[in-house]
Amino acid sequence: MSSFNLGIIVIIGLAVIVSVWRVVRDSRAWRWTRILAQFLMTGLLYLLLFPPVNERPRVQGIVLTPGVTAAQMMNRDHSLPSLALPGVEFNDPAIDRVPDLASGLRRHQEIGNIEILGDGLPPRDRGAVGDRGVKFSPGDTLAGVVNLQLSTDVRSGAMWSVRGQLTGIPRAHVELRDRSDATVASATADDEGRFTLSVRAKSAGQSLYRLRLVDAAQVTLEEIPLPLVVADGSAVRTLILAGAPDPELKYLRRWIVDSGNSVASRIGLSRGIEQLQNAVDLAAASLAEIDLLIADERAWAGLSTAEKAQIKSSVERGMGLILRTTGPLSSQVRSEWVAFGFKIESFDGARSVTLANPVSGISVSREPFNISVEDSVALVSGVDRSTLAAWRAVGQGRVALWLALDTYRLQLEGDDSRYGTLWSDAFAAIARARGIRPPLLPTFARVEQRSEFCQLDAAAALEDTDGQIHDLLVGKDSIRCAAWWPMKSGWHAIVEGPSRWPFYVYSADDAKTLKREETREATSELVQENPATSSYRVPMQRWPWFLVWLLICAGIWWLERKDDRQSFY
């Protein structure tokens, strides 16, 4: 019994005690009748406020969602209650149309487990399922793009890749078109419907590309807007330590300079002779100004114990470090590199491996080592799933182990874009973090759907397509998230003081097949065999108790009125 119910009982009990005391004190006729009536009215009043409940068995319910087919409508069990969510076009008087699932379940308390027909539940309705058992029967097979992976922001000069998968369209062709409607990349989907498109990001700014899907007859089936924000890259201050010159080092230094980064180097030529460029010592003050240090095994072996300790200390304070292999590792170098947390194992496999995305299609040589990535992150991989480079966090900085020997082959084949992408991704991942950390923005924000933004400042605001600024209610926890329901499609932005972070909002008609597939996948995750409770409690009707209570009250009122009239005369 709740404290509220107990409080009501106490109040009613005090009232009946006072009423009985007054009846006894007045010594009027029908005393015992009046006393009994007081107790009866008290009991009826409690039953009126808190009526008894009955246990009733639950039944399975059917939830109709957008995408339900005519065959599913006809073949469903018509004896079960059916709820239709907004967007279901079929008209049937036996179907109860509800604004959302939670409202429908409150209206039909008899529904326990549910069977979902169609494309599935939208985000707002998934939490209403609770612990109910769920069955899901999707509608017709989809035809179009069902999976899309892309980064919405890149640095200028880097390669921007779009990967996806389509279904239901044999021999489909995909095209990436810019705002002038020129085709900048195209591909034919493989047997499993997968495709990859890449284009080099140019000048900084916002761009809206379009992904066009055409069939074998060159008929356009679908177009999906693809937003891209290109940002100017900040210069990375790099220091290279090498035991000897080699082709990889030559092309790497050239790329560093051409990409706008600064480089200092110390390259050994022979015993006691070094080639110096913008010479930097390894003191703490000098390393504090370095964002990324690249050292091979020969240069590392020539460092003093104090210099190695200083490099490790600088990494722990945020500097990035790439340990580059150019040959066999001595036992001392291997043990010192293992001390950074890597697991290095020798193997007798092939020394040549083909790179995987986003720079696939080129074979490079590698040192005969394997890197364990259990507690690290793969940076460069081969199509055979071997790891050619991996990094792990050390203090506030990151350390990477690089096994590839001749990525400069990309340059020799004239593919400087993919070579730049390879090393640009490495620099972005390993170099010292500087500047303002951007908030986490949604990739596919949609009109009239909840969009979530995280890692915001307390004073963050949102700028809509009309340029109006809306304050956001940012959570006070460590994630610092806020939600927004956009009403118009187009470019929006998160504003934090002088910083501005653009993002794109899709309309309800954009990427329909992708949206339907996302809804189906999310609904499939709700499927469970756990049955809901077999019964539910329904309060009895209050009106019978009210009529009896009213009848007794009327009788007591009549007795009191009769006594008052007799005493008057």
Side-chain angles (χ1 to χ4, degrees):
M1 180 180 297
S2 66
S3 58
F4 176 76
N5 291 21
L6 183 60
I8 295 297
I9 292 176
V10 172
I11 294 174
I12 295 177
L14 293 175
V16 72
I17 291 174
V18 172
S19 300
V20 171
W21 176 76
R22 291 186 61 183
V23 171
V24 173
R25 186 194 63 177
D26 292 345
S27 301
R28 294 187 180 186
W30 301 90
R31 176 187 303 173
W32 293 107
T33 302
R34 288 190 176 95
I35 293 174
L36 178 61
Q38 293 295 336
F39 284 106
L40 288 176
M41 287 190 298
T42 301
L44 291 171
L45 179 60
Y46 179 81
L47 293 176
L48 183 62
L49 296 174
F50 308 103
V53 295
N54 292 328
E55 295 283 342
R56 294 184 181 179
R58 289 191 183 273
V59 298
Q60 178 174 299
I62 298 177
V63 180
L64 307 175
T65 63
V68 61
T69 64
Q72 289 179 316
M73 292 289 296
M74 294 183 60
N75 296 332
R76 78 182 196 279
D77 190 341
H78 293 265
S79 64
L80 300 177
S82 298
L83 309 179
L85 297 181
V88 176
E89 300 177 353
F90 293 95
N91 294 321
D92 188 333
I95 298 175
D96 187 6
R97 294 188 172 274
V98 295
D100 54 70
L101 181 59
S103 300
L105 294 177
R106 285 193 299 268
R107 188 182 301 175
H108 296 268
Q109 299 184 31
E110 74 276 11
I111 293 180
N113 298 338
I114 59 176
E115 181 180 6
I116 303 172
L117 305 180
D119 288 335
L121 300 178
R124 71 162 189 273
D125 291 325
R126 293 164 195 162
V129 173
D131 60 351
R132 290 177 171 83
V134 177
K135 295 180 180 179
F136 178 44
S137 300
D140 290 337
T141 303
L142 300 179
V145 178
V146 295
N147 185 19
L148 202 57
Q149 302 175 14
L150 71 156
S151 174
T152 56
D153 59 284
V154 297
R155 298 291 181 182
S156 58
M159 292 295 292
W160 177 54
S161 296
V162 179
R163 302 181 185 88
Q165 185 174 11
L166 50 89
T167 185
I169 307 174
R171 297 165 55 193
H173 189 72
V174 289
E175 299 174 350
L176 186 62
R177 293 177 172 262
D178 61 13
R179 52 188 165 186
S180 66
D181 203 33
T183 302
V184 294
S186 62
T188 300
D190 61 16
D191 294 339
E192 297 182 1
R194 294 174 298 192
F195 63 89
T196 300
L197 300 173
S198 299
V199 64
R200 188 169 187 171
K202 299 180 180 179
S203 57
Q206 300 170 196
S207 300
L208 190 62
Y209 290 81
R210 290 179 295 113
L211 181 69
R212 177 176 294 180
L213 175 62
V214 297
D215 60 11
Q218 298 301 310
V219 176
T220 300
L221 303 178
E222 189 175 17
E223 281 194 357
I224 302 175
L226 300 180
L228 175 64
V229 179
V230 181
D232 285 325
S234 56
V236 177
R237 298 164 296 191
T238 311
L239 173 60
I240 297 177
L241 304 178
D246 59 46
E248 182 79 340
L249 194 60
K250 168 188 173 182
Y251 286 97
L252 176 58
R253 292 171 65 196
R254 180 184 298 175
W255 173 82
I256 293 175
V257 174
D258 293 343
S259 61
N261 300 311
S262 62
V263 60
S265 61
R266 194 172 77 187
I267 303 173
L269 300 178
S270 64
R271 183 179 296 274
I273 301 177
E274 293 179 330
Q275 179 188 16
L276 302 179
Q277 178 183 359
N278 302 325
V280 175
D281 58 26
L282 300 182
S286 300
L287 292 179
E289 299 297 323
I290 297 299
D291 297 323
L292 180 63
L293 172 62
I294 303 175
D296 61 24
E297 77 285 348
R298 287 176 289 183
W300 184 269
L303 298 177
S304 65
T305 303
E307 289 174 328
K308 295 174 183 177
Q310 187 57 60
I311 290 175
K312 184 175 181 180
S313 177
S314 298
V315 170
E316 292 174 347
R317 291 195 295 267
M319 185 185 73
L321 174 63
I322 294 180
L323 302 172
R324 175 173 159 261
T325 60
T326 62
L329 300 180
S330 65
S331 58
Q332 180 179 354
V333 171
R334 177 181 292 205
S335 63
E336 291 173 346
W337 286 8
V338 167
F340 282 107
F342 292 103
K343 296 181 180 179
I344 306 174
E345 300 176 353
S346 301
F347 81 107
D348 297 328
R351 297 287 296 272
S352 179
V353 61
T354 301
L355 296 180
N357 287 327
V359 290
S360 59
I362 187 71
S363 295
V364 299
S365 302
R366 56 165 297 170
E367 282 300 311
F369 305 124
N370 277 330
I371 309 174
S372 173
V373 292
E374 294 178 359
D375 60 345
S376 57
V377 179
L379 186 60
V380 181
S381 302
V383 294
D384 59 354
R385 297 184 179 180
S386 60
T387 302
L388 302 179
W391 65 265
R392 67 184 308 272
V394 177
Q396 297 180 357
R398 293 177 176 181
V399 179
L401 185 57
W402 190 278
L403 302 183
L405 299 177
D406 47 10
T407 60
Y408 65 89
R409 290 185 181 180
L410 288 166
Q411 289 275 29
L412 296 180
E413 295 190 3
D415 203 344
D416 57 340
S417 296
R418 291 199 295 173
Y419 181 82
T421 298
L422 178 68
W423 282 102
S424 177
D425 291 345
F427 274 46
I430 309 303
R432 186 192 303 271
R434 290 189 289 118
I436 302 174
R437 184 175 65 175
L440 296 179
L441 305 178
T443 303
F444 294 102
R446 290 186 179 275
V447 170
E448 297 182 350
Q449 286 193 4
R450 183 179 185 271
S451 298
E452 188 175 72
F453 316 92
C454 293
Q455 296 183 1
L456 300 175
D457 288 343
L462 186 140
E463 180 183 343
D464 61 18
T465 56
D466 299 325
Q468 297 182 353
I469 303 297
H470 306 269
D471 294 331
L472 296 175
L473 183 60
V474 181
K476 297 182 179 180
D477 55 5
S478 59
I479 306 177
R480 305 190 309 278
C481 293
W484 178 259
W485 283 259
M487 301 305 296
K488 291 183 178 180
S489 62
W491 287 101
H492 294 60
I494 294 294
V495 180
E496 295 180 342
S499 302
R500 189 174 180 275
W501 313 100
F503 68 96
Y504 188 79
V505 175
Y506 288 80
S507 70
D509 296 329
D510 290 334
K512 283 187 174 181
T513 307
L514 180 62
K515 178 183 177 182
R516 294 178 64 186
E517 177 64 18
E518 291 175 349
T519 303
R520 291 187 178 193
E521 291 182 357
T523 305
S524 298
E525 296 177 357
L526 300 175
V527 174
Q528 56 182 358
E529 298 295 335
N530 298 332
T533 55
S534 58
S535 61
Y536 68 103
R537 306 180 71 184
V538 179
M540 292 180 61
Q541 297 291 333
R542 287 180 169 87
W543 65 267
W545 308 110
F546 175 74
L547 290 180
V548 177
W549 176 82
L550 184 61
L551 181 62
I552 296 177
C553 286
I556 294 298
W557 173 82
W558 181 79
L559 286 176
E560 294 290 341
R561 181 177 175 81
K562 179 181 178 182
D563 289 346
D564 290 342
R565 292 179 64 184
Q566 289 178 353
S567 62
F568 177 77
Y569 291 109

